[in-house]
Amino acid sequence: MVEIGKSKAPKTMKPPGRSQWKPLSSISIDKNGKRKRINGSSKNPNMIPLGKNKILADRNKDKEEVEERKKVEKSNESDGGEATFLISTAPAAQQLGFFLDRFQSANKIKLSPLELDAYKDSCMVKLAEGIAQDLDNLSDHIKSAFGPSWKEVLTEEKLVEGEIDAGSPALIIISTSASRSLEILRGLKSFTKQCFPAKLFAKHMKVEDQATSLKSSRVNIASGTPSRINKLINMDALTLSRPGIILLDMHRDVKGYSLLTLPQVSTEFWDLYKSHFQQRLLQGEMKICLYGAVPINEKLKKMSNPIDDN
């Protein structure tokens, strides 16, 4: 019996929501080679082989190489962001031309053709390209400069009578200040753990104490400022009896000055060079290493070899 006035409303169909849809099944193959149907969601429903993507790997490799090049270029820029050039990566003849041009300019002289002929390309140290010349890479560059004998020359701590005199370093590093000298030595810890380096600057150090220390011990590495180095040589405390390398720190301060351009310090360096280094350089007993970068515009202006101009 049907009650009057209480007819049932027709049932409406609701559209299925997202949660009502079930993802398609996928097929996988187990370790026994049998096909297996997997119902439900799958991160890889089309069964695309998942392995090392060679295209993406090559792209990532290229990206890493670009980033590495940018890192080297950035480390070679000056503090002001100016484009620079690693002078010691240039051919030795160009390095020598740069150095002699700076020498003539600073001393307001012009060397004669005969004087220029006395200088040889072998006076300069050429360092590897593609490696930033910062404190982190300094020890690697030094090893390369000294060659296979670097360990014997730079880490041994005993004096050898008739061969290794007291206070005669194989590597002399010259920089603009005491603080910079200490920074450089921190980058050479791999060499100075056994044979302590000589700190040759005036800040907090008496020249008499430095002289006493030099006269009684083997010194492989010395780092300091031109003025104090010159004074200790004149006192016969620091000797130059070992063939070696004079590393000139080309780092520029916040004002853009370097060892060869800072007014008072550059004058002191050229006095030191003329008094004690020049003849040894000409005789082949010493080499110059220009460590660091110079501005591109300075390079273009100064790289012409004065030897070729005469």
Side-chain angles (χ1 to χ4, degrees), residues 54-114:
K54 189 176 185 305
I55 296 176
L56 291 179
D58 290 341
R59 287 178 182 174
N60 290 335
K61 184 178 179 181
D62 292 341
K63 186 177 180 181
E64 290 175 0
E65 291 178 352
V66 170
E67 292 297 324
E68 185 63 27
R69 284 198 299 270
K70 287 181 178 179
K71 183 178 178 182
V72 172
E73 291 170 0
K74 184 177 180 181
S75 67
N76 295 335
E77 290 180 354
S78 64
D79 294 332
E82 186 178 4
T84 56
F85 173 77
L86 292 176
I87 183 68
S88 61
T89 62
Q94 291 184 336
Q95 291 188 53
L96 182 59
F98 172 87
F99 181 75
L100 293 178
D101 195 69
R102 296 300 295 174
F103 171 63
Q104 294 177 100
S105 176
N107 293 277
K108 296 180 174 58
I109 60 173
K110 186 171 180 63
L111 298 174
S112 68
L114 185 62

Side-chain angles (χ1 to χ4, degrees), residues 8-265:
K8 290 186 178 180
K11 199 172 197 181
T12 57
M13 297 292 293
K14 293 183 180 180
R18 184 176 297 273
S19 61
Q20 292 178 289
W21 291 97
K22 294 182 179 181
L24 297 175
S25 300
S26 57
I27 303 296
S28 68
I29 299 177
D30 61 19
K31 62 182 180 179
N32 297 319
K34 295 182 179 180
R35 295 164 61 87
K36 182 179 179 182
R37 182 178 297 278
I38 302 175
N39 295 322
S41 61
S42 173
K43 293 182 180 179
N44 189 18
N46 296 318
M47 300 304 295
I48 299 174
L50 297 178
K52 186 175 181 180
N53 191 316
K54 189 176 185 305
I55 296 176
L56 291 179
D58 290 341
R59 287 178 182 174
N60 290 335
K61 184 178 179 181
D62 292 341
K63 186 177 180 181
E64 290 175 0
E65 291 178 352
V66 170
E67 292 297 324
E68 185 63 27
R69 284 198 299 270
K70 287 181 178 179
K71 183 178 178 182
V72 172
E73 291 170 0
K74 184 177 180 181
S75 67
N76 295 335
E77 290 180 354
S78 64
D79 294 332
E82 186 178 4
T84 56
F85 173 77
L86 292 176
I87 183 68
S88 61
T89 62
Q94 291 184 336
Q95 291 188 53
L96 182 59
F98 172 87
F99 181 75
L100 293 178
D101 195 69
R102 296 300 295 174
F103 171 63
Q104 294 177 100
S105 176
N107 293 277
K108 296 180 174 58
I109 60 173
K110 186 171 180 63
L111 298 174
S112 68
L114 185 62
E115 290 173 315
L116 290 170
D117 285 341
Y119 288 90
K120 307 300 180 184
D121 294 352
S122 56
C123 294
M124 310 304 294
V125 175
K126 188 178 186 302
L127 298 180
E129 299 181 29
I131 304 175
Q133 291 184 18
D134 51 24
L135 299 182
D136 292 335
N137 294 303
L138 178 57
S139 59
D140 291 333
H141 284 296
I142 295 299
K143 288 178 184 179
S144 176
F146 277 91
S149 63
W150 68 265
K151 190 170 184 179
E152 178 184 353
V153 173
L154 299 174
T155 64
E156 292 294 333
E157 56 184 331
K158 295 181 180 179
L159 292 169
V160 180
E161 187 175 354
E163 295 183 19
I164 309 297
D165 298 328
S168 181
L171 173 64
I172 300 177
I173 303 168
I174 308 176
S175 53
T176 56
S177 65
S179 59
R180 179 62 183 173
S181 296
L182 290 173
E183 287 179 9
I184 292 173
L185 288 177
R186 282 194 286 269
L188 295 175
K189 286 184 178 179
S190 58
F191 300 134
T192 59
K193 289 179 180 178
Q194 294 180 342
C195 187
F196 295 108
K199 302 173 183 178
L200 309 180
F201 43 79
K203 189 175 182 179
H204 306 310
M205 302 186 75
K206 295 180 179 180
V207 68
E208 294 80 10
D209 293 339
Q210 291 172 325
T212 300
S213 176
L214 288 168
K215 290 179 179 180
S216 61
S217 59
R218 172 166 172 164
V219 177
N220 295 325
I221 299 173
S223 178
T225 56
S227 177
R228 181 51 61 94
I229 291 173
N230 196 18
K231 191 168 186 176
L232 287 164
I233 293 176
N234 290 334
M235 294 173 63
D236 294 326
L238 181 67
T239 64
L240 303 175
S241 60
R242 295 172 72 183
I245 292 175
I246 306 297
L247 188 145
L248 306 184
D249 177 28
M250 302 298 288
H251 171 78
R252 293 190 295 157
D253 61 21
V254 293
K255 294 183 179 180
Y257 288 115
S258 71
L259 176 67
L260 301 184
T261 59
L262 188 60
Q264 181 179 348
V265 175

